[in-house]
Amino acid sequence: LGVSVGSAGLQVSSVQSGSAAASAGVTAGDSIVAVDGHRVASHAQLSTVLATLEPGARVTVEWTTAGGTTRRKTVTLGSSPVN
């Protein structure tokens, strides 16, 4: 999941095929606003939330679509890609 800081959360620039975000229906241009009940408005906040979660954890993701619709979906986290 590629994100950058936007005015309404973390704007999604890309979504990896097969990822939890892709299965939830998150697409490029959407903005992630909360993960597991925690507001995320920066990379640091997102990293902090994700660091407390294990692969396989079920979390609710809240996002706003590029068209302005708010969506929520519970997803199962995968593992982070190794760099």
Side-chain angles (χ1 to χ4, degrees), residues 20-26 34-36 58-63 70-76:
S23 69
V26 176
V35 175
D36 200 31
R58 293 191 48 80
V59 299
T60 300
V61 177
E62 180 179 338
W63 73 98
T70 299
R71 296 199 173 152
R72 284 180 197 85
K73 186 155 186 185
T74 300
V75 300
T76 302

Side-chain angles (χ1 to χ4, degrees), residues 9-10 33 35 38-51:
L10 294 172
V33 295
V35 175
H38 301 277
R39 289 284 187 207
V40 291
S42 69
H43 287 103
Q45 289 174 330
L46 178 61
S47 293
T48 298
V49 170
L50 293 177

